[in-house]
Amino acid sequence: MDAFFASIELLRYPQLKGLPVVIGGGRRRVDDALLEATGVAQGERALRFIPVDDFPRLKDYVGRGVITTATYAARQFGVGSAMGMMKAAKLCPDAIVLPVDFDEVRKYSRAFKEAIREVAPLVEDRGVDEVYIDFTDVPGGQRGGGRSLARLLQRSILEKTGLTCSIGVAPNKLIAKMASEFNKPNGISIVQEADLQSMIWPLACRKINGIGPKSDAKLAALNIHTIGEMAAQEIGWLIDHFGQATGAWMHDAAWGRDLRPVVTESEPVSMSRETTFERDLHAVRDKAELGAVFTRLCEKVAEDLQRKGYVGKTIGIKLRYDNFQSVTRDQTLTHYTADATTIRQTAGLALKRVPLTKKLRLLGVRVGTLLKTEDASALQKLSALPASGGGIAEEPVPPYRDQLF
DNA sequence: TCTGGGGTCCTAGGACCC
DNA sequence: TCTGGGGTCCTAGGACCC
């Protein structure tokens, strides 16, 4: 299989080119800051009308958000995705802060993927700004080793979205993803099997999609820092240190082997909503506030399920204490549901099973073991056949108020 | 005033069944 | 007193990704 990996560059304000700008921080908080500084909300609109000097700066930002993305000028200061805003403010206090406009992002994301599917239909979704593409059977796809098709995609994406896009071309997904980073932004890079040694082996292990901070640290402790050093290890040695599955996978990855197909459709496994509080809350002292938030989260998950046509059977809660330790509790129902009241009641039971003496910084609600709503009703009819004696009974659910349990 | 929100996948132990 | 394996489901935690 030949694969592209394509990612769009989502920051697209030409007038800010060369300026340090970060986007992120949690929309409402940044909107508030904007409103205060300029009298205008909504980053997109504000950008057109407000002189750059009037934008809020990172040093004035107050809150718990993280950075979603940053201009290259901001990255020069060491600022980058997923970094806390407070830490970023120390590195680059004068960076301009803009809110994330998720509706806008989703709109451009859709247009980006549509533009690609028109040219190459085998596309795998990897979030808002990334896709894998299998171009093996796209007419003319092999011309120039894939370069002319990649150029065509870039042109089409630019036309339809105004966004630039970086594309990696390789014999499989693993290498294509790495290749896409070689030439950012708006670049194309082609990596062939024969380039493994020269282009992939010198890279840090962390560049492999699937090796995160933990594995990287463990590898470093074993004195392995590059992919080449990883490839030089016996597979048995890797298995001894990382377990059967991970060890074998690492060995394959280091040798550029990856047989995963481009997966064009998949069903969701779970849906969830969570929120980090502006200040840490206490289960007893802030019970009313916490209870209201909890109910809202359940209602939102229920809405999400209903809008997308799913029901679920496992209700879970997640919370994070002020020391950042996370805890989860699951509770499986006898029937599938997308009902806010049922979710709220079951989640309440799960929450009861968790110690609530420490302050909380985050609360979340998740529904898992999902089924399409229509498949669930078919299942219900099947089990409701006379012989089985009446089918699945709905458990009566008591009414709830905005309290914790 | 370090550390968002929405996901997937893996592991490992215990219950329970055959 | 002792004692198999395999399979499935459920739960909790954690690594990782965008």
Side-chain angles (χ1 to χ4, degrees):
Chain A
M1 180 193 69
D2 292 315
F4 285 147
F5 180 86
S7 67
I8 35 170
E9 279 94 33
L10 272 171
L11 203 55
R12 60 176 195 102
Y13 304 108
Q15 68 270 46
L16 295 178
K17 209 170 166 175
L19 292 172
V21 179
V22 301
I23 292 191
R27 185 192 168 102
R28 201 178 57 71
R29 285 191 283 267
V30 185
D31 269 354
D32 289 349
L34 247 172
L35 197 62
E36 220 168 276
T38 64
V40 181
Q42 297 284 351
E44 171 85 16
R45 270 191 290 283
L47 262 178
R48 300 224 175 96
F49 304 117
I50 301 172
V52 159
D53 283 349
D54 289 347
F55 274 96
R57 304 297 159 134
L58 208 36
K59 63 184 171 208
D60 301 320
Y61 180 84
V62 177
R64 306 191 118 154
V66 297
I67 285 166
T68 304
T69 189
T71 56
Y72 287 85
R75 290 177 204 205
Q76 304 255 288
F77 293 84
V79 166
S81 297
M83 181 179 287
M85 297 288 273
M86 287 299 137
K87 188 173 172 193
K90 281 179 192 136
L91 294 170
C92 187
D94 290 314
I96 293 166
V97 186
L98 296 177
V100 190
D101 188 336
F102 285 109
D103 291 336
E104 280 287 294
V105 169
R106 274 190 287 270
K107 198 172 98 192
Y108 281 92
S109 173
R110 268 195 301 276
F112 158 64
K113 288 165 194 171
E114 269 163 33
I116 291 171
R117 284 201 185 90
E118 277 176 23
V119 179
L122 261 46
V123 174
E124 175 175 335
D125 229 296
R126 295 303 296 181
V128 280
D129 61 347
E130 297 189 349
V131 293
Y132 288 109
I133 307 159
D134 182 341
F135 69 97
T136 314
D137 296 327
V138 175
Q142 308 306 319
R143 214 174 316 129
R147 190 179 294 276
S148 45
L149 182 54
R151 280 216 195 89
L152 176 66
L153 286 171
Q154 280 184 330
R155 226 177 306 133
S156 168
I157 290 160
L158 185 66
E159 243 167 59
K160 283 167 183 148
T161 65
L163 297 171
T164 60
C165 172
S166 294
I167 299 182
V169 190
N172 59 48
K173 295 205 289 187
L174 179 87
I175 307 294
K177 165 94 174 154
M178 287 190 270
S180 76
E181 304 227 353
F182 288 169
N183 214 352
K184 278 187 157 190
N186 201 21
I188 295 171
S189 31
I190 299 178
V191 175
Q192 279 153 347
E193 229 142 329
D195 303 322
L196 185 74
Q197 208 172 330
S198 63
M199 299 176 81
I200 302 297
W201 281 1
L203 301 177
C205 301
R206 188 72 176 76
K207 294 289 176 187
I208 292 174
N209 188 262
I211 295 197
K214 300 286 179 179
S215 306
D216 193 48
K218 196 168 162 186
L219 283 163
L222 294 163
N223 211 21
I224 295 179
H225 302 94
T226 67
I227 300 175
E229 286 164 4
M230 221 164 112
Q233 304 307 314
E234 296 284 346
I235 183 167
W237 185 89
L238 287 166
I239 287 172
D240 285 346
H241 284 90
F242 293 90
Q244 178 58 241
T246 307
W249 170 78
M250 278 178 166
H251 193 259
D252 277 346
W255 282 89
R257 293 191 280 259
D258 174 25
L259 297 173
R260 294 171 304 161
V262 168
V263 177
T264 56
E265 19 203 334
S266 62
E267 288 294 327
V269 172
S270 69
M271 291 185 199
S272 66
R273 288 285 185 146
E274 65 184 53
T275 188
T276 296
F277 314 122
E278 312 243 334
R279 60 178 181 93
D280 296 339
L281 298 181
H282 192 275
V284 177
R285 289 194 291 283
D286 304 302
K287 189 164 178 169
E289 195 176 345
L290 220 39
V293 171
F294 196 26
T295 300
R296 271 307 293 153
L297 290 170
C298 294
E299 287 167 354
K300 278 193 193 150
V301 179
E303 269 173 46
D304 293 341
L305 287 163
Q306 289 164 27
R307 180 165 27 86
K308 295 174 181 164
Y310 287 89
V311 287
K313 205 156 74 89
T314 310
I315 314 299
I317 56 133
K318 164 173 154 186
L319 42 89
R320 182 125 72 204
Y321 297 112
D322 53 4
N323 67 357
F324 219 70
Q325 183 210 349
S326 301
V327 176
T328 63
R329 289 293 179 274
D330 277 1
Q331 195 115 337
T332 298
L333 294 167
T334 54
H335 60 280
Y336 287 86
T337 189
D339 173 58
T341 309
T342 309
I343 295 169
R344 177 59 173 79
Q345 207 255 340
T346 313
L349 292 177
L351 192 59
K352 265 191 181 173
R353 294 163 37 216
V354 117
L356 290 172
T357 46
K358 276 188 296 232
K359 282 187 155 193
L360 306 177
R361 66 152 25 228
L362 171 147
L363 184 60
V365 175
R366 184 175 47 84
V367 176
T369 327
L370 300 186
L371 216 51
K372 282 263 187 207
T373 308
E374 63 255 34
D375 294 344
S377 13
L379 207 66
Q380 183 114 358
K381 273 186 204 123
L382 212 63
S383 58
L385 289 174
S388 77
I392 302 164
E394 287 278 331
E395 290 151 32
V397 173
Y400 62 85
R401 277 166 290 148
D402 276 346
Q403 56 193 19
L404 267 186
F405 313 119

